[in-house]
Amino acid sequence: MQLQQQSSTQATSSGQQPWLSVVIPTYGRADSLASHIAAVHGCLSNDFANRHFEIIVVNDASPDQTPAVLAELGARFPDMHILNLEQNLGQQAATRAGLALAEGSVVVTLDDDGKDDPADIVRLVDLLSAGHDVAYGIPGQETTLAWYRRLGTVIKEALLGCLCHKPKGIRLTGFRAMNRATVDRIVADTRRHLYISATILEKPVRIGQVQVAAPVRNASGYSLAALARLLLRIALWYGPFYRLLIRMSDSSAIHHPIQVHPETQT
């Protein structure tokens, strides 16, 4: 993974390690990103006035003026960090790259399109304080989504229920708060095609969810082909085939241990 990182000179406004990290992957949102980041920063400043926080924005090799917009925002907000990826990795990998930089004990992820209301972040964090490992923000039903997006969500939820034992009644979204142990497990996942919620579900976790504001969604770049690729990757990288490869790899390591030859001294 090739990365180019740009960050402000201060880790937080006071120079202390942040308690809360907010990670936002972005692609091609130069026109609306500044207002979204400003809204996020304003809510964090009000709701966590006595806590140190950081905002990490991961630019997934946007083809527009996103780097310039982020540079201006970085100068405006000293508790913001910018990660510019040199190649497009996709939303899941870009989010993981941001999680790898996050230093907070609590980490929140949300999209860049403004559909998630940052005023709801405090409600997700409160669920973690009540003892949950992960808290998802669940919006009302979106009737404006294309038919294939709605169908894809149904298939994805069923797939994760089958492969990762997702509890019934739990909906999975990109608007989530996680504790440090969960974040560390995601960052340590070396799959080529990671799906964050699937990785979360691979281990027993206490999952909470809270109803959040109905989304006001901007135009999405998610096509039918992209959705099909996502479903296929979940099936391949979290299904029986991947687990078989892991077992074969472990077995090979056991039966063919690495031989270390001592150096010959002359």
Side-chain angles (χ1 to χ4, degrees):
M1 184 187 302
Q2 294 180 315
L3 309 177
Q4 179 185 359
Q5 182 179 354
Q6 173 187 344
S7 61
S8 56
T9 55
Q10 291 179 283
T12 66
S13 56
S14 65
Q16 299 185 32
Q17 180 172 334
W19 175 79
L20 171 65
S21 300
V22 176
V23 176
I24 305 174
T26 187
Y27 179 80
R29 298 284 183 185
D31 292 341
S32 58
L33 193 58
S35 59
H36 181 48
I37 298 300
V40 171
H41 192 278
C43 286
L44 296 179
S45 298
N46 290 330
D47 296 333
F48 302 97
N50 297 320
R51 297 280 197 176
H52 303 296
F53 64 84
E54 65 178 353
I55 301 173
I56 299 171
V57 183
V58 183
N59 171 29
D60 195 15
S62 298
D64 57 8
Q65 296 302 311
T66 293
V69 172
L70 289 177
E72 293 179 2
L73 289 169
R76 179 179 173 188
F77 300 122
D79 36 27
M80 175 177 164
H81 303 276
I82 301 163
L83 181 62
N84 287 307
L85 303 182
E86 294 181 354
Q87 62 187 50
N88 182 262
L89 302 178
Q91 183 184 35
Q92 298 293 312
T95 302
R96 177 171 57 180
L99 294 177
L101 295 179
E103 296 183 349
S105 299
V106 173
V107 182
V108 173
T109 65
L110 71 160
D111 289 345
D112 65 342
D113 57 5
K115 71 178 180 64
D116 302 319
D117 188 348
D120 286 320
I121 290 176
V122 66
R123 301 175 64 209
L124 297 180
V125 172
D126 285 344
L127 273 184
L128 292 192
S129 300
H132 293 87
D133 300 304
V134 186
Y136 284 96
I138 308 301
Q141 192 66 32
E142 297 183 67
T143 58
T144 59
L145 284 178
W147 65 268
Y148 61 84
R149 291 290 303 276
R150 294 195 298 271
L151 177 62
T153 297
V154 172
I155 296 174
K156 180 185 69 177
E157 297 279 322
L159 195 58
L160 292 174
C162 177
L163 299 178
C164 303
H165 308 291
K166 180 185 76 68
K168 292 183 179 179
I170 294 293
R171 288 176 58 192
L172 307 174
T173 69
F175 190 22
R176 59 173 90 83
M178 300 171 285
N179 61 17
R180 186 72 246 173
T182 302
V183 171
D184 290 342
R185 187 157 58 83
I186 294 167
V187 173
D189 192 330
T190 58
R191 284 179 177 87
R192 180 178 179 182
H193 294 294
L194 173 86
Y195 190 74
I196 290 173
S197 285
T199 295
I200 290 173
L201 292 168
E202 284 191 310
K203 300 290 184 180
V205 287
R206 294 161 294 184
I207 302 176
Q209 55 185 8
V210 62
Q211 195 78 24
V212 296
V216 179
R217 186 184 291 270
N218 294 320
S220 173
Y222 236 101
S223 65
L224 179 59
L227 182 58
R229 284 195 300 271
L230 172 62
L231 296 175
L232 179 60
R233 286 171 177 173
I234 292 174
L236 287 176
W237 289 90
Y238 291 88
F241 178 72
Y242 179 77
R243 290 193 288 270
L244 176 62
L245 288 179
I246 293 297
R247 286 198 296 269
M248 292 175 61
S249 176
D250 291 343
S251 176
S252 176
I254 292 173
H255 291 94
H256 300 86
I258 298 174
Q259 296 182 352
V260 179
H261 300 282
E263 295 181 359
T264 301
Q265 295 183 347
T266 59

